[in-house]
Amino acid sequence: MTNNSVNLTVSQILRTKSEFEDEPKKKSREDWRKAKELEEARKAGTAPAAVDEEGKDINPHIPQYIATAPWYYGTAGPTLKHQRPQDDKEAKYSKLTEWYKRGVDNSTFITKYRRGACENCGAMTHKKKDCMERPRKVGAKYSGAKIAPDEYIQSKLNLSYDGKRDRWSGYDPTEHRAIIEEYQKVEEAKRQLRADKLDAQESQDDEDEDKDEDKYVDEVDMPGTKVDSKQRITVRNLRIREDTAKYLRNLDPNSAYYDPKTRSMRENPHPETGDTYSGENFVRFCGDTRKHASAQLFAWEAYERGVDVHLLAEPTKLEMLQKEYDSKKDQFKSQVQESVLEKYGGEEHLQIPPKSLLLAQTEDYVEYSRSGKVLKGQEKEIIRSRYEEDIYINNHTSVWGSYWNGGQWGYKCCHSFLKNSYCLGEAGIKANESTEIPVPTLEAIHEKKSKVTDSNSDSNSSSDSEDKDIKKKHKNKKKDKKKKLKEKKKQKKEEDKLQKALVAEEENQQHADHLLSMDERKRPYNSMFEVKKPTDEEMEAYYLKRRREEDPMNQFM
């Protein structure tokens, strides 16, 4: 092998190499011309289009730079597969039917505690600290009873962009079946009611056929009507162009009769199927047509009995007569019913409570004593919490925290601020009112100091006035005036300081709100902030401006 390869020339090596490689060969001028003619013929439609490996036609108008595959793709013929998304590079997402399982796994029934399971309920899929069941008095680890089933181990779903935003993802279509079944039951009940009404009407019509047979003959003149069989009125029924013609519904000549002149089909051409079209005669049995027909029949019957009334000429008179006739008829029926009940009895069976009460009654028997205790049966359970309710300690009638005064919580029943203390009732309220110390404000402290200084100055001046002369009195008056001026200046300065402190407090609150609204990473550092004791004015401004969360009027500020 090595000797043969060494003895071969370069041209022979290149020739053998080109035979095994898949690189495209250089076409001659004749080949280019034939390819061009074939392409033009395919575009003109005279030659069949090229076919790919799947048997699909390739559009000849696709540009060459799109239709030709690269030489390294390894295609045996014309194809567009290189332009389509490749299977190995496409992301595989979860299907629409895949979703997280809900509930618990009831396929297996566990009767024994397993090692590593939840100590509270006995499930293997979580620990005691993650258990959502009520804490048991004796856990499943020690009791071995009522071991809860395991939850499903959820699979990781790889959802697409649309799958993550699908609002119907995880919806079970079987849940909608209950609504459909409910509507189907309602529709079936309505159909049954309609069928019962039609049956009752047909039976009534069969009974009255013999009586009313002569009323519809052409020779008989009805009161107020003129029947002439020679005059025919045709009504042109317009229909939509897209609507199916009535005679095309059933081409059988023995089916429902179709009148071509009035374009009306009297019956349903497909009575065996649940077709919505019921024929033209259904108009006679819907809306106010029944009421009109009954009024016309009443007019005919009244005319036969000697009452001259007409439906079209006197409709109000006819309606009043019909109402009077119906009321008397109902009154006669009720009198007959009362006479039957008086003769044979059984009125108590007709006094039935409404259906809502009948359906709400139960067979549970509960017997109570005079004090309200249950003697027989079981009383309805009241849902309670796990904590004790309505229990007051140490003779208290209210809970701790029901009273607030002076920045402290206490009991409302005795105004005591000591938790777990014994309640003294009204005596405790009076004692606590006498010992309550109101919280002094800064202004009250300043007023108290000024009063003390005034009293001291007055006492000193009165004691010295006896020993000193009139000149000294004059000097003392001047001094008093100077002191008063100084005090006024001090008060003004203190007021100015308080106003400045209030303004500074507002600025601090606004600055704090601004810092809280900023991002944590963009907040400045407070390393150069000077920490010092706040003054009395600053403390007073803080107490005036702070928001009290315990104040009930806080929400209205």
Side-chain angles (χ1 to χ4, degrees):
M1 293 289 289
T2 56
N3 294 331
N4 294 334
S5 62
V6 171
N7 295 331
L8 290 173
T9 60
V10 177
S11 60
Q12 290 176 344
I13 292 169
L14 291 173
R15 194 181 297 112
T16 54
K17 186 177 181 182
S18 63
E19 290 176 359
F20 295 102
E21 287 184 354
D22 294 334
E23 292 184 3
K25 296 179 181 180
K26 188 175 181 181
K27 291 183 180 180
S28 63
R29 185 175 294 176
E30 188 68 21
D31 294 338
W32 278 108
R33 186 179 61 77
K34 287 181 180 179
K36 194 71 175 175
E37 289 177 357
L38 181 61
E39 184 181 354
E40 290 176 357
R42 283 174 176 169
K43 287 181 179 179
T46 56
V51 181
D52 59 359
E53 65 273 4
E54 296 178 359
K56 298 178 181 178
D57 293 341
I58 298 174
N59 191 350
H61 298 284
I62 295 175
Q64 188 179 5
Y65 70 91
I66 293 176
T68 54
W71 63 270
Y72 53 82
Y73 195 73
T75 57
T79 182
L80 289 174
K81 197 173 182 180
H82 60 281
Q83 294 291 347
R84 297 188 179 95
Q86 307 300 318
D87 296 336
D88 55 345
K89 292 184 179 180
E90 275 192 342
K92 295 181 180 179
Y93 297 108
S94 302
K95 298 180 180 179
L96 289 173
T97 55
E98 296 180 6
W99 195 249
Y100 302 106
K101 295 182 179 179
R102 296 172 181 171
V104 294
D105 188 8
N106 293 319
S107 58
T108 57
F109 184 73
I110 298 120
T111 58
K112 188 177 179 182
Y113 178 78
R114 296 161 291 178
R115 188 176 182 183
C118 176
E119 297 180 3
N120 185 40
C121 66
M124 286 290 291
T125 49
H126 61 269
K127 297 297 181 183
K128 185 179 179 181
K129 64 178 182 179
D130 302 324
C131 186
M132 300 297 292
E133 192 177 333
R134 177 184 59 81
R136 301 183 183 180
K137 190 174 183 180
V138 180
K141 182 178 179 181
Y142 304 102
S143 65
K146 294 183 181 179
I147 294 175
D150 300 336
E151 294 92 354
Y152 286 109
I153 298 172
Q154 305 297 348
S155 59
K156 293 183 179 180
L157 300 180
N158 186 17
L159 300 174
S160 61
Y161 181 86
D162 293 329
K164 292 175 183 176
R165 290 156 181 81
D166 186 10
R167 58 191 295 224
W168 292 101
S169 57
Y171 176 72
D172 189 6
T174 56
E175 295 178 2
H176 191 65
R177 193 176 298 167
I179 301 171
I180 295 171
E181 289 175 356
E182 182 181 354
Y183 277 95
Q184 285 177 353
K185 288 178 181 177
V186 172
E187 290 296 328
E188 287 177 3
K190 287 181 180 178
R191 289 196 205 99
Q192 188 65 30
L193 285 172
R194 291 195 200 103
D196 294 342
K197 286 182 181 179
L198 287 173
D199 292 341
Q201 195 173 10
E202 285 176 2
S203 62
Q204 188 177 1
D205 292 342
D206 293 339
E207 292 175 0
D208 298 340
E209 267 183 6
D210 299 333
K211 298 180 181 179
D212 302 337
E213 189 174 2
D214 298 333
K215 294 181 181 180
Y216 301 99
V217 183
D218 292 343
E219 286 77 17
V220 179
D221 290 335
M222 296 299 164
T225 60
K226 186 178 180 182
V227 180
D228 189 2
S229 59
K230 295 178 182 178
Q231 293 180 357
R232 295 186 181 274
I233 300 170
T234 59
V235 180
R236 188 179 298 275
N237 295 326
L238 300 177
R239 63 179 180 83
I240 305 171
R241 185 179 294 276
E242 292 79 16
D243 200 2
T244 307
K246 296 167 188 175
Y247 57 87
L248 294 176
R249 292 180 181 269
N250 192 350
L251 299 177
D252 187 9
N254 297 323
S255 65
Y257 177 76
Y258 174 74
D259 188 5
K261 194 168 186 178
T262 58
R263 296 182 183 178
S264 62
M265 184 166 279
R266 297 176 183 176
E267 296 176 1
N268 186 5
H270 296 285
E272 64 276 2
T273 60
D275 195 0
T276 55
Y277 179 75
S278 302
E280 300 291 338
N281 285 341
F282 82 99
V283 180
R284 301 180 183 179
F285 305 103
C286 66
D288 290 335
T289 54
R290 293 184 181 181
K291 188 177 179 182
H292 185 272
S294 64
Q296 183 66 62
L297 185 61
F298 179 78
W300 292 337
E301 290 174 353
Y303 181 79
E304 287 178 355
R305 287 173 174 80
V307 181
D308 191 9
V309 67
H310 190 265
L311 175 62
L312 301 178
E314 298 171 321
T316 309
K317 181 180 177 182
L318 180 66
E319 189 175 358
M320 294 298 293
L321 285 171
Q322 192 174 7
K323 283 183 179 178
E324 186 178 358
Y325 173 77
D326 293 334
S327 62
K328 287 184 178 179
K329 189 177 180 181
D330 295 335
Q331 187 178 358
F332 177 74
K333 284 184 178 179
S334 61
Q335 287 177 0
V336 171
Q337 186 179 5
E338 287 174 1
S339 63
V340 171
L341 290 173
E342 286 176 1
K343 188 174 183 179
Y344 300 102
E347 190 177 359
E348 65 274 10
H349 300 291
L350 298 176
Q351 297 175 356
I352 303 172
K355 290 184 178 180
S356 59
L357 292 177
L358 289 173
L359 296 173
Q361 291 176 354
T362 59
E363 297 296 330
D364 298 335
Y365 177 75
V366 181
E367 187 175 342
Y368 296 91
S369 65
R370 290 187 177 181
S371 60
K373 293 183 179 180
V374 179
L375 298 177
K376 289 183 181 180
Q378 187 175 3
E379 193 175 7
K380 188 178 180 181
E381 294 183 358
I382 301 171
I383 300 172
R384 299 182 181 275
S385 64
R386 59 185 292 184
Y387 303 100
E388 293 180 346
E389 298 178 356
D390 301 332
I391 294 176
Y392 303 103
I393 59 172
N394 297 335
N395 200 27
H396 285 288
T397 57
S398 60
V399 294
W400 166 260
S402 58
Y403 179 68
W404 166 267
N405 189 17
Q408 291 180 320
W409 292 104
Y411 293 98
K412 189 178 180 180
C413 53
C414 60
H415 291 191
S416 175
F417 298 106
L418 297 176
K419 195 173 183 180
N420 298 330
S421 62
Y422 191 80
C423 182
L424 299 175
E426 295 293 334
I429 292 172
K430 292 178 181 178
N432 289 322
E433 283 178 355
S434 61
T435 56
E436 279 180 2
I437 301 171
V439 179
T441 60
L442 189 62
E443 292 178 356
I445 294 169
H446 288 311
E447 288 178 1
K448 190 175 181 181
K449 285 182 179 179
S450 62
K451 287 179 181 178
V452 171
T453 53
D454 291 340
S455 61
N456 291 334
S457 62
D458 294 337
S459 61
N460 292 331
S461 61
S462 61
S463 61
D464 295 337
S465 61
E466 295 176 357
D467 300 332
K468 292 182 180 180
D469 300 325
I470 299 170
K471 293 180 181 179
K472 288 184 179 180
K473 286 182 181 179
H474 187 65
K475 288 181 181 179
N476 288 333
K477 286 181 181 179
K478 286 184 178 180
K479 286 181 182 179
D480 292 338
K481 287 181 180 179
K482 288 181 180 178
K483 283 182 181 179
K484 287 180 180 179
L485 289 172
K486 285 182 180 179
E487 286 176 359
K488 287 182 179 179
K489 287 181 180 179
K490 280 184 181 180
Q491 286 181 357
K492 285 184 179 180
K493 285 182 180 179
E494 287 175 356
E495 289 177 358
D496 294 339
K497 285 181 181 179
L498 183 59
Q499 291 294 332
K500 289 180 181 178
L502 288 170
V503 173
E505 182 63 26
E506 286 183 359
E507 291 177 355
N508 290 335
Q509 288 182 0
Q510 291 176 0
H511 184 62
D513 294 337
H514 175 65
L515 291 177
L516 290 173
S517 63
M518 292 173 61
D519 191 3
E520 292 182 355
R521 295 171 290 183
K522 294 182 180 179
R523 290 179 188 169
Y525 293 101
N526 295 325
S527 58
M528 302 300 292
F529 184 74
E530 184 181 359
V531 181
K532 59 181 180 179
K533 183 180 178 181
T535 60
D536 295 338
E537 290 81 7
E538 290 176 351
M539 290 299 296
E540 181 67 17
Y542 168 72
Y543 285 126
L544 288 173
K545 290 289 182 182
R546 74 167 178 168
R547 190 182 183 93
R548 296 183 179 274
E549 300 296 337
E550 66 275 3
D551 189 1
M553 301 297 291
N554 184 19
Q555 301 297 328
F556 301 97
M557 292 178 67

